[in-house]
Amino acid sequence: MNDDSDTQFTIEQLRIEHRDLDEIISILIKTGHEDEMRIQRLKKKKLSLRDRIVWLENMQKQHVSAEHG
């Protein structure tokens, strides 16, 4: 694999994990889960994943534009 495909693979894996966390958080909220701290930790992790996805996408875009510019 090259750097671009490695990065794309990582982005896809992070998106899957992000969706999984979203589902877990929704279930915990809908079922009235009492551990609010757990829900908050999961939300923070979800935001962290989103930040990492955006960062990787931006790096990938910069790499592509540097190759074509």
Side-chain angles (χ1 to χ4, degrees), residues 11 14-15 18 49-57:
I11 290 170
L14 291 171
R15 284 181 179 153
H18 186 270
L49 286 171
R50 185 71 203 137
D51 288 345
R52 188 162 174 215
I53 291 167
V54 169
W55 185 83
L56 286 169
E57 288 172 337

Side-chain angles (χ1 to χ4, degrees), residues 24-54:
I24 291 167
I25 291 166
S26 288
I27 290 168
L28 290 174
I29 292 171
K30 287 178 185 175
T31 60
H33 188 72
E34 295 179 8
D35 188 351
E36 189 62 33
M37 291 299 291
R38 180 177 185 203
I39 293 170
Q40 290 306 315
R41 282 193 307 274
L42 292 171
K43 285 181 177 182
K44 281 185 180 184
K45 183 170 182 174
K46 186 178 145 191
L47 285 172
S48 176
L49 286 171
R50 185 71 203 137
D51 288 345
R52 188 162 174 215
I53 291 167
V54 169

